[in-house]
């Protein structure tokens, strides 16, 4: 599974970095994805973070 953050849409609310710190970290005032793919044991929280992002900046595939 892969995750992507739309840097133009992200408002830096940091919700994703709290919900799924295995995958998301703050890079300045935007969220960035750690690594090239989502670790298997973080898939559920990663999907949850995508659903919870208030501006729907996170896409998973
Ligand atoms: Fe940005 Fe959404 Fe995360 S606004 S910091 S991608 S929860």
């Amino acid at each position: 599974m892969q995750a992507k953050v739309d840097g133009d849409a992200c408002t830096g609310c940091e919700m994703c970095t709290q919900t799924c710190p295995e995958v998301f970290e703050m890079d300045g005032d935007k969220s960035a994805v750690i690594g090239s793919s989502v670790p298997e044991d973080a898939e559920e929280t990663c999907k949850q973070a995508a659903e919870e992002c208030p501006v729907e900046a996170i896409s998973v595939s």
Side-chain angles (χ1 to χ4, degrees):
M1 194 171 116
Q2 295 200 317
K4 235 166 87 175
V5 174
D6 179 349
D8 292 331
C10 174
T11 58
C13 75
E14 299 189 25
M15 191 115 78
C16 54
T17 61
Q18 288 167 25
T19 301
C20 187
E22 296 88 350
V23 176
F24 302 100
E25 66 182 356
M26 295 309 291
D27 179 13
D29 57 356
K30 306 275 183 191
S31 168
V33 174
I34 303 165
S36 56
S37 66
V38 175
E40 226 166 84
D41 57 1
E43 286 188 356
E44 282 311 308
T45 50
C46 180
K47 284 183 206 163
Q48 188 187 335
E51 279 166 25
E52 286 177 352
C53 174
V55 293
E56 297 182 0
I58 301 169
S59 55
V60 290
S61 58

